[in-house]
């Protein structure tokens, strides 16, 4: 009996809930930490980036309008599906980051837990950053957070799954939609994450994942007039400065990268990455005038 050949996986982009190949037809080789070939990943073009923004904008109304409780259920479902495919991701993270299977397992477990963390925050963040404000005058003054809109996310270059989840989950937990540029060096866990998102009730277009040259994709996203914010986690210092200048053209919110040696994605994430892409809406409402009986009307 002849030896069976392995069925090699074809990695594709994740845009608008579908799995297209790059519009350009280009691919690039992805290797493990020892230089061994792993797969060909799509080399996304500027057109792919623009298509991803269109998909994210189309999905924004429905996602931002969903109840916080519903978004939390969906994020928890992502954790469930990722748990079910744990072995696959352990292998991919081990190859991508040159880790032992045990250390890669810890990274995958932390990524799963990170989804659960943000799932629990979806219906609580409004109470933390919103509330009633004391004002001088007969008014109720109430502030509540609202999502910024379409957020471009440059995933961390070295943390292929945990870092990725740590920058994507807070964006969508608060009702934004995302265009994600995967780690240029280690994109495979990010591209596989699209398969989990597609089977986790996340509406198409809420998260869109591109692979390729980070600088090539980040430039059109930073300058795009329909992108409302950008997270520069995966940009080096030189690229980050260039993107900040490009982003200023339509007053995008910009989350600057932290020093590479100062980021530990396994620590308590806090709420900073959620609040970074929230706007505050404040409503004034008269409390009413007092009638003859002293009651408000």
């Amino acid at each position: 009996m002849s030896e069976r050949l392995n069925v090699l996986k074809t990695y594709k982009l994740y845009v608008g809930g579908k799995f297209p190949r790059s519009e350009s037809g280009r691919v690039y080789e992805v290797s493990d930490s020892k230089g061994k070939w792993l797969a060909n990943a799509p080399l996304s073009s500027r057109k792919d980036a623009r298509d991803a923004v269109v998909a994210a904008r189309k999905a924004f109304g429905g996602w931002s309008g969903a109840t916080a409780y519903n978004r939390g259920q969906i994020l928890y479902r992502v954790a469930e599906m990722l748990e079910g495919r744990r072995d696959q991701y352990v292998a991919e993270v081990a190859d991508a980051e040159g880790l032992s299977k045990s250390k890669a397992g810890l990274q995958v477990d932390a990524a799963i837990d990170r989804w659960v963390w943000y799932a629990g925050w979806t219906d609580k963040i409004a109470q933390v950053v919103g509330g009633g404000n004391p004002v001088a005058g007969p008014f109720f003054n109430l502030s509540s957070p609202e999502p910024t809109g379409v957020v471009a996310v440059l995933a961390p270059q070295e943390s292929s799954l945990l870092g990725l989840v740590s920058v994507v989950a807070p964006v969508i937990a608060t009702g934004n939609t995302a265009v994600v540029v995967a780690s240029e060096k280690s994109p495979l866990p990010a591209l596989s994450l699209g398969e989990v998102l597609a089977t986790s009730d996340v509406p198409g277009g809420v998260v869109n994942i591109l692979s390729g040259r980070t600088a090539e994709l980040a430039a059109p996203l930073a300058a795009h007039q329909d992108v409302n914010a950008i997270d520069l986690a995966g940009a080096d210092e030189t690229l980050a400065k260039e993107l900040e200048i490009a982003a200023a053209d339509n007053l995008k919110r910009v989350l600057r990268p932290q020093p590479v040696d100062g980021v530990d994605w396994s620590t308590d994430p806090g709420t900073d990455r959620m609040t970074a892409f929230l706007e505050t809406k404040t409503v004034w409402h008269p409390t009413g005038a007092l009638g003859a009986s002293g009651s408000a009307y």
Side-chain angles (χ1 to χ4, degrees), residues 117-118 121 125 170-171 173-174 176 270-278:
W117 164 275
Y118 283 111
W121 270 104
I125 191 67
V171 168
T174 49
N176 298 288
T271 60
D272 289 349
R273 287 191 175 273
M274 287 186 285
T275 57
F277 303 118
L278 286 173

Side-chain angles (χ1 to χ4, degrees), residues 33-50:
S33 59
K34 297 180 180 179
K36 179 183 177 182
W37 179 87
L38 293 174
N40 289 334
L43 189 59
S44 303
S45 67
R46 289 171 176 252
K47 175 65 163 54
D48 293 317
R50 292 195 297 269

Side-chain angles (χ1 to χ4, degrees), residues 3-283:
E3 183 178 350
R4 180 179 178 276
L5 296 177
N6 291 332
V7 178
L8 298 178
K9 182 173 181 176
T10 302
Y11 287 88
K12 297 182 181 180
L13 308 177
Y14 183 58
V15 177
K18 300 179 181 179
F19 296 92
R21 301 177 189 272
S22 171
E23 170 272 339
S24 68
R26 303 177 301 171
V27 298
Y28 72 104
E29 292 187 2
V30 178
S31 302
D32 64 14
S33 59
K34 297 180 180 179
K36 179 183 177 182
W37 179 87
L38 293 174
N40 289 334
L43 189 59
S44 303
S45 67
R46 289 171 176 252
K47 175 65 163 54
D48 293 317
R50 292 195 297 269
D51 289 345
V53 173
V54 171
R57 177 58 62 191
K58 184 176 180 181
F60 176 69
W63 184 244
S64 62
T67 65
Y69 175 73
N70 180 239
R71 287 199 299 270
Q73 288 182 308
I74 291 173
L75 264 64
Y76 188 83
R77 177 64 174 166
V78 175
E80 290 180 337
M81 298 301 290
L82 193 55
E83 181 84 45
R85 299 176 65 169
R86 181 181 183 277
D87 290 346
Q88 172 194 341
Y89 285 93
V90 169
E92 288 188 338
V93 170
D95 287 338
E97 301 181 28
L99 302 175
S100 66
K101 289 295 179 67
S102 60
K103 290 184 178 179
L106 294 175
Q107 293 290 303
V108 174
D109 290 342
I112 295 169
D113 293 345
R114 191 60 43 88
W115 281 111
V116 176
W117 164 275
Y118 283 111
W121 270 104
T122 57
D123 59 355
K124 300 174 182 67
I125 191 67
Q127 284 73 42
V128 173
V129 300
N133 308 310
V135 295
F139 300 99
F140 292 118
N141 184 267
L142 305 174
S143 294
S144 61
E146 291 189 342
T148 295
V150 175
V151 181
V153 179
L154 309 186
Q157 296 297 327
E158 301 302 325
S159 184
S160 60
L161 183 63
L162 177 56
L164 170 76
V165 171
S166 297
V167 295
V168 172
V171 168
I172 66 172
T174 49
N176 298 288
T177 54
V179 177
V180 183
V181 179
S183 165
E184 181 175 334
K185 176 185 174 184
S186 307
L188 303 187
L191 296 175
S192 290
L193 182 63
E195 300 169 9
V196 168
L197 297 173
T199 54
S200 302
D201 303 324
V202 179
V206 170
V207 179
N208 306 274
I209 302 175
L210 307 173
S211 60
R213 308 303 181 203
T214 298
E216 183 178 338
L217 295 171
L221 290 173
H224 201 298
Q225 296 295 297
D226 203 26
V227 172
N228 303 107
I230 185 167
D231 184 343
L232 301 177
D236 60 31
E237 184 177 351
T238 300
L239 178 59
K241 290 180 179 179
E242 295 174 0
L243 297 177
E244 283 193 67
I245 294 171
D249 193 40
N250 72 331
L251 298 177
K252 290 181 179 65
R253 283 178 173 248
V254 177
L255 184 59
R256 293 176 174 85
Q258 297 171 289
V260 173
D261 59 356
V263 180
D264 181 358
W265 296 108
S266 65
T267 59
D268 184 335
T271 60
D272 289 349
R273 287 191 175 273
M274 287 186 285
T275 57
F277 303 118
L278 286 173
E279 308 285 349
T280 300
K281 178 179 71 176
T282 300
V283 177

